[in-house]
Amino acid sequence: MKLCVTGDVMLGRGIDQILRHPGDPRIHERWMNSAVDYVTLAEQRSGPIPRRVPPGYVWGDALHLLRQAEPDVTVVNLETAVTDRGTPWPGKGIQYRVHPANVDVLSAAAVDVAVLANNHVLDWSIPGLEQTLEVLESSGVSAVGVGRDLMEAWAPAAVPVSSGSRVLVVAAGSASSGIPPEWAAGEGRPGVAFLADLSDATADRIAAVVGSWAAPGDVVVMSLHWGPNWGYETPPEHQRFARSLIDRAGVHIVHGHSSHHPLGIEVYQGRLILYGCGDLVTDYEGIRGHERYRGELGALYLPTVDARTGSLRTMELVPTRMERFRLSRPPAEDVKWLATTLRRESEALGTTITATDRGSLALEW
């Protein structure tokens, strides 16, 4: 069974403004008052960006790469509300939203599951969250990690695959990624599947969720929005919690995100831990200040797992580069830089990264 999992797919703000149905460009940031300004910044850096682009534009070369890879299930962290309703969440300095008519961008890449347990899904308050769920449901994309109440927020997405088994995706987020604790879903209260802590007791609660849904042969993905945007350190509590999810909850793949650049990779008990998948699609192209992390470089993560045991068989990363708000294949020197960086960070976790003759990267353990 092959999966494709990614880091942040941020279709709001500047990206929304170049799509076929741009929403209201007004934003409420200290430094910008129009989402169009982010398009201008990117054009100043990289050159002209077309407008009213078709839904496949932002995926660029990744569409061909996905067709070649033929994943059974594709999971992205959708870092935006899909709404034209609501008001900005009080006191939150950045709000992301994409117009509901642009949801076909997800369909263009055959996205199966949109993880919403992140720090932007409630940027436009409860009405924005409710519309996001409505739009995704009507488009055929499974939303996970948020809900109209506590039970729905923690319910997995269950995607059948051709082998007759399923991929179960459970999602949750922690305050360390910037999720306000008051966004936590509750009894009768819409919100996020929120991690109050990373304790064994929390892992046991997730185990109860998994146990109530999983059937023999299911592959379980735990998607976690955690940690800061910048920096390579793998916090000890993240490693301990990821391993605890494997040991106590039977998770087969830990899918971490929030970092704006890829982090180190671990294989524990034959199961994959992605501590941070970096950004994939964003409007950050013209923003300065963290160039040394090369945030424009991302990857499609393509693990192949044994459908019977969930153990990792192979793990391929296909590097991407965001330029003119479109994903492209990076030049050889960028692929080498990404390989060197991920090798440095992964070797401390017991794995290594090698380049393939296909221009991709392979994980070895």
Side-chain angles (χ1 to χ4, degrees):
M1 182 189 303
K2 181 184 286 187
L3 289 77
C4 175
V5 299
T6 81
D8 299 349
V9 172
M10 200 288 289
L11 301 179
R13 212 167 57 181
I15 300 292
D16 180 62
Q17 293 303 302
I18 70 163
L19 296 172
R20 289 190 294 189
H21 306 281
D24 185 344
R26 288 178 297 173
I27 54 179
H28 306 273
E29 299 177 5
R30 228 176 26 249
W31 44 87
M32 296 280 195
N33 57 27
S34 173
V36 177
D37 294 338
Y38 284 94
V39 184
T40 302
L41 283 176
E43 290 183 319
Q44 289 171 351
R45 179 170 183 173
S46 303
I49 297 173
R51 304 300 199 275
R52 306 284 175 165
V53 299
Y57 171 85
V58 297
W59 299 106
D61 294 339
L63 288 181
H64 175 66
L65 298 171
L66 286 167
R67 282 193 292 268
Q68 281 187 319
E70 296 184 313
D72 294 290
V73 178
T74 298
V75 181
V76 305
N77 175 50
L78 182 60
E79 192 88 2
T80 186
V82 187
T83 185
D84 57 2
R85 301 179 194 160
T87 56
W89 187 273
K92 196 167 186 295
I94 298 177
Q95 301 87 26
Y96 294 159
R97 64 176 170 181
V98 61
H99 193 280
N102 291 324
V103 73
D104 55 1
V105 173
L106 298 177
S107 303
V111 171
D112 296 292
V113 179
V115 173
L116 296 175
N118 57 54
N119 58 312
H120 289 293
V121 69
L122 270 156
D123 281 354
W124 293 87
S125 302
I126 298 298
L129 170 63
E130 291 174 337
Q131 188 181 19
T132 298
L133 293 172
E134 292 166 8
V135 172
L136 291 173
E137 287 166 2
S138 65
S139 72
V141 177
S142 296
V144 65
V146 298
R148 298 169 182 86
D149 57 26
L150 184 65
M151 183 175 293
E152 187 178 56
W154 279 98
V159 185
V161 296
S162 57
S163 64
S165 58
R166 302 179 302 174
V167 174
L168 291 184
V169 183
V170 185
S174 76
S176 63
S177 68
I179 300 174
E182 57 267 31
W183 284 14
E187 298 294 341
R189 185 178 71 243
V192 172
F194 186 73
L195 298 172
D197 56 42
L198 302 180
S199 65
D200 285 345
T202 296
D204 288 340
R205 285 192 288 272
I206 293 171
V209 172
V210 171
S212 66
W213 285 81
D218 288 346
V219 170
V220 180
V221 178
M222 184 71 216
S223 192
L224 297 169
H225 203 62
W226 60 356
N229 294 150
W230 306 104
Y232 289 108
E233 179 187 4
T234 300
E237 60 270 25
H238 284 200
Q239 184 177 51
R240 187 199 55 75
F241 187 66
R243 291 179 170 188
S244 183
L245 289 171
I246 291 168
D247 289 336
R248 305 171 85 98
V251 168
H252 299 103
I253 296 175
V254 177
H255 169 218
H257 37 83
S258 178
S259 59
H260 285 336
H261 51 89
L263 302 181
I265 303 171
E266 182 177 12
V267 177
Y268 172 71
Q269 305 286 29
R271 298 182 180 185
L272 179 65
I273 303 174
L274 302 169
Y275 286 101
C277 291
D279 289 335
L280 189 66
V281 175
T282 74
D283 70 347
Y284 304 153
E285 198 169 325
I287 300 173
R288 304 287 182 174
H290 295 280
E291 288 84 352
R292 71 186 182 92
Y293 293 106
R294 302 296 307 274
E296 76 278 9
L297 298 180
L300 303 174
Y301 293 75
L302 299 167
T304 301
V305 299
D306 186 304
R308 184 177 57 85
T309 66
S311 295
L312 186 65
R313 286 183 171 176
T314 65
M315 173 64 197
E316 183 177 19
L317 296 84
V318 181
T320 61
R321 175 177 172 146
M322 196 68 181
E323 188 172 28
R324 298 175 65 204
F325 286 4
R326 182 179 184 274
L327 291 173
S328 62
R329 294 298 300 266
E333 58 268 26
D334 285 352
V335 174
K336 181 179 180 181
W337 184 92
L338 187 61
T340 300
T341 302
L342 283 175
R343 185 181 304 117
R344 180 193 70 212
E345 298 305 317
S346 297
E347 284 180 347
L349 299 168
T351 64
T352 192
I353 298 287
T354 60
T356 74
D357 56 9
R358 302 182 300 277
S360 63
L361 307 177
L363 181 73
E364 295 182 357
W365 64 96

